């Protein structure tokens, strides 16, 4: 009887511990994402040297398109990759499933491309072409810097 109570208590403890650990991981992921977004905003603001008027018009448009591209390229594609992994890998899915997933990825890529074209059109009314080019280069530079820091941090933690 006492053993059953201890076992039940242990299982309850383990359940809640795993629940809190998973919740903490999600919070960490959200915090990391928010921190990266803040760093990106600061970096782009510095690189673009936006006037107050430009910034007021630019950031709502940029955030809208950035969120849409994130949804397409990260969330939607990730769902498809997860589907393949859950099935046991590419070798475990049928040719028909592969075709369906492949066509869905092409559809997402096309939608992302069209979103980028819309974004470029919207920005051409807000920023000069020089600042538009600066933005494209600054976004790539931000990602390179982020990856460099990540690799450096990973190397330091593996030592």
């Amino acid at each position: 009887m006492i053993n059953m109570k201890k076992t039940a208590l242990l299982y309850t403890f383990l359940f809640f511990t795993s629940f809190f650990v998973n919740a903490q991981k999600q919070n960490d992921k959200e915090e990391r994402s928010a921190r990266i977004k803040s760093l990106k905003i600061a970096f782009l603001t510095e690189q673009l040297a936006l006037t107050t008027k430009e910034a007021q018009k630019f950031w709502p448009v940029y955030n809208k398109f950035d969120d849409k591209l994130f949804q397409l390229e990260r969330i939607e594609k990730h769902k498809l990759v997860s589907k393949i992994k859950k099935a046991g890998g590419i070798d475990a899915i049928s040719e028909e499933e592969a075709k369906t997933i492949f066509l869905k990825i092409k559809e997402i890529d096309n939608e992302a491309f069209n979103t980028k074209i819309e974004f470029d059109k919207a920005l051409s009314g807000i920023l000069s072409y020089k600042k538009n080019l600066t933005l494209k280069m600054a976004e790539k530079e931000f990602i390179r810097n982020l990856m460099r820091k990540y690799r450096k941090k990973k190397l330091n933690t593996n030592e």
Side-chain angles (χ1 to χ4, degrees), residues 2-131:
I2 293 175
N3 240 356
M4 279 181 73
K5 285 182 181 181
K6 285 183 180 180
T7 304
L9 186 61
L10 178 64
Y11 282 130
T12 305
F13 175 75
L14 289 175
F15 171 76
F16 283 111
T17 302
S18 67
F19 175 77
F20 288 119
V21 167
N22 286 334
Q24 184 62 40
K25 285 181 184 177
Q26 184 63 31
N27 287 343
D28 290 347
K29 197 174 195 180
E30 289 171 4
E31 286 176 22
R32 187 172 48 246
S33 182
R35 196 172 41 230
I36 289 170
K37 192 166 186 139
S38 296
L39 290 170
K40 184 178 182 182
I41 289 169
F43 184 80
L44 294 179
T45 299
E46 181 183 324
Q47 295 297 306
L48 291 173
L50 297 172
T51 65
T52 304
K53 190 176 179 181
E54 287 173 329
Q56 287 173 343
K57 292 178 181 178
F58 170 77
W59 285 113
V61 171
Y62 183 85
N63 289 332
K64 174 187 167 191
F65 284 99
D66 191 50
D67 290 346
K68 184 165 184 181
L69 286 172
F70 181 82
Q71 179 68 34
L72 291 170
E73 294 177 338
R74 297 281 186 235
I75 307 296
E76 295 303 318
K77 280 187 178 178
H78 180 73
K79 287 178 187 175
L80 296 171
V81 170
S82 292
K83 185 176 182 179
I84 294 168
K85 286 181 180 177
K86 284 180 185 175
I90 292 174
D91 293 335
I93 62 174
S94 70
E95 186 64 23
E96 192 59 35
E97 288 174 306
K99 178 182 178 184
T100 302
I101 292 170
F102 179 80
L103 292 175
K104 182 64 179 166
I105 289 172
K106 280 182 63 172
E107 186 181 308
I108 291 168
D109 287 343
N110 284 335
E111 192 174 346
F113 178 75
N114 290 332
T115 299
K116 289 175 184 179
I117 289 172
E118 287 178 46
F119 179 58
D120 288 343
K121 283 180 186 175
L123 280 187
S124 68
I126 298 170
L127 300 178
S128 69
Y129 287 107
K130 282 186 174 185
K131 284 192 178 182

